[in-house]
Each structure stands twice: as structure tokens, then as C-alpha cells.
Amino acid sequence: MKGDLNFYLQSIVAVVVITDPLTRGIFFRQLTAAEPERRVEFVRRITLAVAVTLFGAAIFGKELLDLMGIDLGAFGIAGGLIVTLMGFEMLFGGEPSRAQGGKEAREVPESFDGSVVVPYAIPFVAGPGAITTVITIASSTSGGTGTVAALIAVAVAVILLPIGHLLVAKHLNLSEQAEQIATKIGGLLIATIGIQLMLGGITRYFGL
């Protein structure tokens, strides 16, 4: 029971950290500075796109891998490596990784309307790292525990997403240096999560 609880908590932390509703909310405020009256509308669309993407990954990701004949342990190793590299890129670069849209997703457009789903919701929030993490969690255990953990983790992240965008970001004004520090801390956590995913994949692949 305690082991399951720890697994659920680790899954929630992993998905929340990699979707990062707090820092993303700060970027969102900057990107919508010219259209503050439409922020609620934008957040609804972002949340819907992220929810569909990540819930879909949690429910169908494992079945898709099985259909393609991809070993779950091997996927865990590859997915963990991707997440780890993303974390190191954020840690040393101080900005979102290129797999999450990088600088392109942070460029201020004349209107945010055309950037809500791509590149903001996907891949800036629900990018390859988040999708890989969710699928890896869902396929990490047998008996459906992994899928349940992934669904709970995605649900928590989706709930926090509008909170981070509409409440926290509205009242939190960080300097560029502070944003870089926050991103680097997030990068360290993501790199750690990626290494854990790799180790889990290695254990599963070699049956250790």
C-alpha cells in the first residue's frame, strides 16, 4: 500500500513538474499582454488541448506501443533519456528545451489566438517529454496501476494549469533572472525524473 502511494505521488510530481503550470503561467501572461480580456478563453483552449493529449497518452499509449511491437522496457529507457536530456538543456540553458518549443514558443505574437494550441499547448506544455513521461508511467506496472497513476497525475496537472495561468501568474512578477533560476531548478527535477524513468526501463527490459 505504501509502495503504491509513493508511486502515485512520484507520478503526480513528475507530470506536474514537466508541464510546469507556474512558469508556463508567467510566459502566458507575457504572451497575452496585448489581449488580457481573452485570457480566460485562451486558458480554456490550452487546458482542453493539454487534457486531450495527455489523457490520450495515458489511456492509449501502452496499447499503441504493444500494437507497434515496441518493448515497454526499451521505451522506458528511450523516454527516460529524452526527458533527462530535456532537463539538462533547461538546467544549463535557463529556458524551455527545444523539444518544448524553446524560444519560439515564448516569442510575443501580435495576437495569441493563432498560437494557443500550437506551439503553446503543444509542444510547450504537453510536449514530447510530458507525453513520454505519461506513457512511461502508464506502462511501468502491470494490473492497471500504472494507467491509474498516470490518469491521476494528468488530472492534477490539468487542474493546476488554469490556476497557474490565471491566478498565480497574475500576482507573480519575476525578473528574467528569477525566471531562469526557476527554469533551471525545474530542469534539475526533470533530469532526475528522466533518470528514474531510465532506471525503471532498464529494470523492466532486463527483468532485474
Side-chain angles (χ1 to χ4, degrees):
M1 185 66 179
K2 184 178 179 181
D4 288 343
L5 179 60
N6 288 336
F7 177 64
Y8 287 133
L9 291 176
Q10 290 173 0
S11 300
I12 291 171
V13 170
V15 177
V16 169
V17 167
I18 207 163
T19 54
D20 192 6
L22 175 59
T23 304
R24 300 294 188 273
I26 296 170
F27 297 151
F28 174 78
R29 182 188 60 195
Q30 297 171 350
L31 293 170
T32 58
E35 304 169 288
E37 72 284 354
R38 299 188 64 186
R39 282 174 175 162
V40 173
E41 172 197 345
F42 291 148
V43 166
R44 287 174 181 167
R45 291 163 60 185
I46 292 167
T47 303
L48 178 61
V50 171
V52 170
T53 301
L54 296 186
F55 276 122
I59 296 171
F60 302 111
K62 182 178 181 297
E63 286 70 18
L64 182 60
L65 293 178
D66 290 338
L67 184 64
M68 297 173 64
I70 297 176
D71 184 88
L72 296 178
F75 181 82
I77 297 172
L81 179 60
I82 292 173
V83 175
T84 301
L85 292 176
M86 287 177 56
F88 281 131
E89 188 176 3
M90 294 169 62
L91 177 61
F92 294 112
E95 63 182 28
S97 70
R98 285 170 290 181
Q100 291 176 297
K103 291 182 178 179
E104 291 78 8
R106 297 174 58 181
E107 293 177 353
V108 180
E110 293 183 4
S111 174
F112 189 60
D113 189 64
S115 305
V116 174
V117 177
V118 179
Y120 191 86
I122 306 168
F124 191 51
V125 179
I131 294 171
T132 300
T133 300
V134 169
I135 295 177
T136 304
I137 292 170
S139 59
S140 60
T141 62
S142 58
T145 302
T147 300
V148 173
L151 290 172
I152 293 174
V154 171
V156 172
V158 168
I159 291 171
L160 291 177
L161 190 61
I163 294 175
H165 280 59
L166 295 177
L167 296 180
V168 178
K170 182 179 179 180
H171 302 287
L172 188 62
N173 187 18
L174 297 179
S175 65
E176 183 176 350
Q177 184 178 14
E179 290 178 9
Q180 289 181 348
I181 293 173
T183 301
K184 288 183 177 183
I185 294 173
L188 176 60
L189 293 174
I190 290 174
T192 303
I193 291 167
I195 292 173
Q196 288 182 325
L197 294 176
M198 286 179 61
L199 293 175
I202 292 171
T203 300
R204 184 164 190 160
Y205 185 79
F206 292 103
L208 301 176

